[in-house]
Amino acid sequence: MMMRSVVVAVVMMVVAVWSYPEYRDYIPNGNNVLNPCDATIWIGVGHENPMGGGQRNPFGLDFAAAGHLWTRALCMKDSDGDGQTNGYELGDASCNWNASDPNAHVDDVKGHPGRCLACTHSPMKS
């Protein structure tokens, strides 16, 4: 069991090294997006895996198509098809945030732009 834990820890460190955590700084509240099922931080916002790496979710595909930039079009889009814009879910419903002013006011995160709220017990549901 101990060896398995060590292997898992090493794999997670390798994934972290190969990931692009700076992309979280390119979207509003990128470091505060929650897992809709358990309210932990979803580190790889644009990926199916909460830790990042591997298959991209719909928001990750749209973010890449936007040149890894927070654009008005990306903000207004509903990547995960849940009826809420990416901007609304990330706390920038008015689409005014930009990466050059990371201290610009945004509201709290209201959802995950790449994951429809599929959990029946989701803490993010109201």
Side-chain angles (χ1 to χ4, degrees):
M1 186 64 153
M2 178 66 165
M3 181 59 144
R4 185 176 182 190
S5 297
V6 170
V7 170
V8 169
V10 169
V11 168
M12 288 179 71
M13 287 188 299
V14 169
V15 168
V17 169
W18 286 344
S19 65
Y20 297 93
E22 67 272 11
Y23 285 162
R24 293 182 292 167
D25 296 335
Y26 299 172
I27 60 174
N29 284 313
N31 291 299
N32 301 317
V33 177
L34 300 177
N35 183 326
C37 296
D38 64 16
T40 58
I41 298 294
W42 194 292
I43 295 170
V45 177
H47 294 272
E48 292 294 334
N49 180 342
M51 296 303 293
Q55 186 176 355
R56 291 182 189 153
N57 61 36
F59 177 75
L61 295 172
D62 290 341
F63 181 63
H68 300 109
L69 298 170
W70 184 246
T71 64
R72 182 162 186 78
L74 180 60
C75 177
M76 296 302 294
K77 190 165 189 164
D78 177 14
S79 294
D80 58 9
D82 65 357
Q84 304 295 331
T85 67
N86 297 329
Y88 175 81
E89 291 189 287
L90 292 173
D92 185 28
S94 59
C95 301
N96 291 323
W97 184 90
N98 68 67
S100 66
D101 186 8
N103 296 318
H105 175 76
V106 290
D107 294 329
D108 291 337
V109 172
K110 302 206 178 18
H112 190 300
R115 301 286 298 184
C116 225
L117 297 179
C119 302
T120 58
H121 63 281
S122 172
M124 291 179 67
K125 287 186 177 178
S126 49

